[in-house]
Amino acid sequence: RPLSDRSKGPRIVCATLPGETHYLGLQMAATVLSLAGCRVIYLGSDTPVEDVVDAAHAHQTSAVCISISIAANRFMASRDLSLLRERLNPSVALVTGGLGAPEGLPGVELVPGLDALLEWGQNLIAHSNAARK
């Protein structure tokens, strides 16, 4: 479901991982990315890894944003993020944030807060615009 139809920015899939039912952080992240000018495809909470991969492919996204709450199982979150990174096209950025987000996973960028996410989204747009020229 596109959250920001009018935007011309890069597409970003936003979701939480399987078993993650806390979605307020995800909603805030999706709103921030939309305000930055990105086109958000909001999948919501408790999303199977394959659904995230399928949506990223179907919408030709530039990135996938995963919100992870402090209540999440860190082992499972690390496993699912690694699986996502493995199955996504290497050109698709994988970003995560939230108090339960694991650190140091190869190919997964940890964004420490909403201000940083806004800056990340703006940088993605600038990079996307530069690539089009």
Side-chain angles (χ1 to χ4, degrees):
R1 294 170 272 169
L3 184 66
S4 45
D5 286 335
R6 295 182 185 179
S7 173
K8 302 257 190 268
R11 292 180 187 92
I12 301 178
V13 166
C14 293
T16 70
L17 296 171
E20 174 70 80
T21 58
H22 296 88
Y23 57 87
L24 181 57
L26 177 66
Q27 289 176 330
M28 291 187 299
T31 300
V32 164
L33 290 169
S34 181
L35 290 171
C38 298
R39 289 182 280 178
V40 173
I41 292 76
Y42 186 84
L43 299 183
S45 64
D46 193 19
T47 307
V49 169
E50 286 307 315
D51 288 0
V52 175
V53 173
D54 290 347
H57 179 72
H59 293 280
Q60 299 176 336
T61 61
S62 297
V64 169
C65 179
I66 301 293
S67 176
I68 303 176
S69 76
I70 196 166
N73 178 309
R74 285 190 188 235
F75 172 78
M76 292 174 66
S78 295
R79 180 200 65 196
D80 289 342
L81 285 170
S82 295
L83 187 59
L84 261 176
R85 179 68 278 162
E86 178 183 305
R87 294 188 178 168
L88 287 171
N89 185 310
S91 67
V92 175
L94 178 56
V95 298
T96 189
L99 294 177
E103 296 181 34
L105 293 176
V108 181
E109 185 175 352
L110 179 63
V111 179
L114 294 174
D115 289 336
L117 184 63
L118 178 63
E119 184 177 338
W120 181 90
Q122 291 167 338
N123 289 337
L124 181 67
I125 290 167
H127 178 74
S128 177
N129 289 342
R132 282 189 224 151
K133 292 181 180 179

